[in-house]
Amino acid sequence: MKTFRYVASAVMMAVIVAASPMAIQLGDHRHDGWLSAAHAAEKYTCGMHPMIVVDEPGDCPICGMALTPLKASDTSAAETPAERKIKYWVAPMDPTFIRDEPGKSPMGMDLVPVYEDQATGGTIITIDPVTSQNMGIRTGKVERRTLQRTIKTVGNVDYMEPKQYTVNTKINGWVENLYVDETGQQVKKGQKLLEIYSPELVTAQEEYLLALANLQGVRNSPFPEIVDGARRLLDASRNRLKYWDVSDRQIKTLEEDGKASRTLAIHSPYKGIVTRKNVESGMYVKGGMELFKIADISRVWINADIYEYELPWVRVGQAVDITLPFVGGKTLHGKISYIYPYVETKTRTVTARIELANKDRELKPDMFVNVRIQSDAVVDALSIPAEAVLHSGEKQTVFVALAGGKFEPRQVKTGVQDEDGYIEIVQGVFEGERVVTSAQFMLDSESKLREAIAKMLEPEKAATEADGSADENLDDLFGDEPKKDENLDDLFK
């Protein structure tokens, strides 16, 4: 009996071995058909940007990463987009550019849909009402409003640069008479400042007198060449005196007196106050040396410091109120005349210049004043509370409150911020939506954590599904595991 069982077992194994090529061949055909059907319905997406869903493998148009196949559940959802509700349309290269209808992005690319279960800035999270209340989550509405800002800063009174003058001389000599010998002294245009004795100047005057006498002596000469030569010599002597700042009036006095003056008087070419005096009586001076510095303070500049974040609110021509804190709080009115095109290294501020009349000399150079700039209003600006924006490097993110306790992270582009705590949103949200204004840091941490965990679990889940499908295919191919020898006995009884 045992011998018969051994023979039957051997015959059965031979039948299985003979039938296995056919079964494997049949299994291969069935497997190929399954692969072709799966490949035909397969979709590809980006792990970093789930809104990108295409039919063919490739690279993500946003980050350049290789696209990965969608899971079975995601593929079925992608095959029937009509069953999913579209929230908005987004530009593939700019997640902040969103619209409520299809169209083109600024770069000319087609907008892609974002569905209710998708987000452009992270992972949508769901929090029950009790937890939301415990976390202290508050929301604010996205609405249009008028944004305005009043800039208060400190200004410094300064001289007008075009109204500052330097007085010097072009000859060497000694100061014999000093008529203006005080700093801060008021001078008028043409007022005598000092007298200089210069041997070179005396010699030049005597040469001019000789040239003048020579011309008068040969005026009636029958030879025109001699008269022209004498006239050229006189002109050269006169020009030499003028080059040394000898005025026409002084030259005329020299011609009338016929005697060289021992000293040369230096007159003020401008009116103003003496802000610097570098000369003393009896001092030897050289040509080109600065003797006085004179400034006209009938009009002054006020330099106001503007921080970098305030620059969008400041422009040339804006009205400015100047308050004098030490003159009973008197207020003057002016306009911004110029904004300097560079930033001060130490203060990190930009200087705005205001020009004011100062006839009564109430404004003293280097005096501090209070400056108040009323900026122009930004009308009909889409805005949200400023505390709703999370600043993380180059990105600004807000959390949009959805129905059912869901919160969607969304990237935005911001504009100006007013003094009431509202910030302009250029792109990223729609009017009427609500954004989270408190506890958004915890939401951001939760969203990033869930997104990271999902990315880590995807390879493991994919491997598990692959192993399970392989086992199922083998089970389908070979059926249940054969039983022990008793089954063979039943077969050949």
Side-chain angles (χ1 to χ4, degrees):
M1 185 65 182
K2 290 184 178 180
T3 304
F4 176 76
R5 288 183 178 180
Y6 292 150
V7 173
S9 299
V11 173
M12 187 63 184
M13 291 298 296
V15 172
I16 293 175
V17 171
S20 60
M22 182 183 301
I24 294 175
Q25 184 177 5
L26 178 60
D28 290 342
H29 286 302
R30 183 177 62 180
H31 185 62
D32 292 341
W34 176 79
L35 284 177
S36 60
H39 180 72
E42 192 169 19
K43 301 286 184 180
Y44 294 85
T45 185
C46 176
M48 297 296 294
H49 303 90
M51 78 290 295
I52 303 299
V53 180
V54 297
D55 297 331
E56 298 178 355
D59 296 332
C60 176
I62 299 178
C63 61
M65 294 177 58
L67 299 179
T68 57
L70 281 171
K71 295 179 293 184
S73 60
D74 295 336
T75 305
S76 61
E79 290 176 351
T80 57
E83 299 176 0
R84 306 168 66 190
K85 185 177 180 181
I86 297 176
K87 288 191 298 184
Y88 51 83
W89 301 76
V90 65
M93 302 298 292
D94 185 3
T96 66
F97 186 86
I98 62 175
R99 293 292 184 269
D100 54 1
E101 59 184 2
K104 296 284 187 180
S105 70
M107 300 181 65
M109 302 176 66
D110 292 333
L111 300 181
V112 296
V114 176
Y115 298 96
E116 295 251 350
D117 57 346
Q118 294 178 339
T120 59
T123 302
I124 295 179
I125 60 178
T126 304
I127 302 178
D128 61 89
V130 176
T131 305
S132 298
Q133 186 176 4
N134 294 335
M135 292 173 61
I137 295 179
R138 300 193 307 270
T139 61
K141 189 176 181 181
V142 181
E143 56 186 354
R144 296 191 177 275
R145 63 176 62 244
T146 298
L147 304 180
Q148 196 166 16
R149 191 181 191 92
T150 301
I151 300 173
K152 299 178 182 179
T153 183
V154 177
N156 181 43
V157 181
D158 197 3
Y159 301 100
M160 290 184 62
E161 292 179 3
K163 296 294 184 179
Q164 288 184 294
Y165 314 103
T166 297
V167 179
N168 55 23
T169 180
K170 298 181 176 62
I171 61 174
N172 303 331
W174 289 263
V175 178
E176 287 208 350
N177 298 307
L178 185 62
Y179 300 104
V180 177
D181 56 357
E182 296 179 4
T183 302
Q185 185 175 344
Q186 177 75 24
V187 296
K188 298 179 181 179
K189 184 176 182 180
Q191 180 178 340
K192 187 183 293 187
L193 300 176
L194 74 165
E195 290 182 351
I196 298 177
Y197 163 69
S198 173
E200 296 177 358
L201 182 60
V202 174
T203 303
Q205 293 181 79
E206 292 176 351
E207 290 177 356
Y208 178 77
L209 292 175
L210 290 175
L212 180 61
N214 182 40
L215 178 60
Q216 292 176 354
V218 299
R219 188 181 299 274
N220 297 325
S221 174
F223 301 100
E225 294 82 2
I226 297 177
V227 178
D228 292 339
R231 183 176 293 107
R232 288 197 299 270
L233 181 60
L234 180 64
D235 292 340
S237 300
R238 180 184 290 109
N239 290 335
R240 186 181 181 185
L241 293 175
K242 287 185 176 180
Y243 292 156
W244 280 343
D245 290 339
V246 179
S247 64
D248 293 336
R249 180 180 177 182
Q250 291 172 324
I251 294 176
K252 186 176 181 180
T253 302
L254 177 62
E255 293 175 355
E256 293 175 353
D257 294 343
K259 182 180 179 181
S261 174
R262 186 173 184 275
T263 60
L264 173 66
I266 305 297
H267 298 82
S268 176
Y270 314 100
K271 71 172 184 177
I273 61 172
V274 178
T275 59
R276 186 181 302 168
K277 183 178 73 71
N278 299 324
V279 63
E280 302 290 344
S281 181
M283 181 178 176
Y284 178 78
V285 296
K286 293 183 178 181
M289 176 181 174
E290 182 184 87
L291 305 179
F292 297 95
K293 195 157 191 177
I294 299 174
D296 184 4
I297 60 172
S298 60
R299 296 189 68 85
V300 294
W301 284 349
I302 296 179
N303 297 322
D305 293 332
I306 307 298
Y307 289 106
E308 296 178 53
Y309 70 90
E310 297 173 332
L311 285 177
W313 297 96
V314 181
R315 64 172 180 82
V316 175
Q318 276 182 328
V320 179
D321 295 333
I322 310 296
T323 304
L324 311 182
F326 304 109
V327 192
K330 182 177 180 180
T331 301
L332 304 176
H333 305 284
K335 292 183 179 181
I336 297 177
S337 60
Y338 187 70
I339 299 176
Y340 286 83
Y342 54 83
V343 177
E344 293 291 341
T345 306
K346 295 181 179 180
T347 60
R348 306 305 304 169
T349 57
V350 176
T351 302
R353 190 173 71 202
I354 303 105
E355 183 177 337
L356 285 180
N358 188 33
K359 294 182 180 180
D360 298 334
R361 299 186 184 178
E362 290 180 333
L363 297 172
K364 308 294 190 296
D366 294 330
M367 175 188 287
F368 287 106
V369 295
N370 296 326
V371 179
R372 182 186 179 94
I373 304 174
Q374 188 64 42
S375 64
D376 297 334
V378 180
V379 183
D380 198 28
L382 192 65
S383 59
I384 62 175
E387 61 267 19
V389 182
L390 291 176
H391 299 272
S392 56
E394 298 180 354
K395 298 179 181 179
Q396 289 83 37
T397 307
V398 299
F399 277 85
V400 180
L402 306 177
K406 296 182 178 180
F407 300 93
E408 176 195 356
R410 197 181 298 173
Q411 294 183 26
V412 295
K413 287 184 178 180
T414 59
V416 297
Q417 182 176 345
D418 70 354
E419 57 188 1
D420 296 328
Y422 290 91
I423 189 170
E424 180 185 12
I425 299 298
V426 181
Q427 290 180 179
V429 294
F430 294 105
E431 184 178 1
E433 292 183 319
R434 301 195 69 86
V435 294
V436 178
T437 59
S438 65
Q440 63 267 42
F441 289 99
M442 290 186 285
L443 297 180
D444 184 57
S445 300
E446 180 71 14
S447 176
K448 294 293 189 294
L449 179 62
R450 292 188 182 184
E451 184 179 1
I453 292 175
K455 290 179 180 179
M456 288 189 296
L457 293 179
E458 281 181 1
E460 181 179 353
K461 186 175 181 180
T464 304
E465 292 177 354
D467 294 341
S469 61
D471 295 340
E472 292 175 359
N473 293 335
L474 292 176
D475 293 340
D476 294 340
L477 179 62
F478 293 101
D480 297 334
E481 182 179 357
K483 296 181 179 180
K484 296 182 179 180
D485 295 341
E486 287 77 7
N487 296 333
L488 295 176
D489 296 340
D490 294 340
L491 181 63
F492 290 96
K493 282 182 180 180

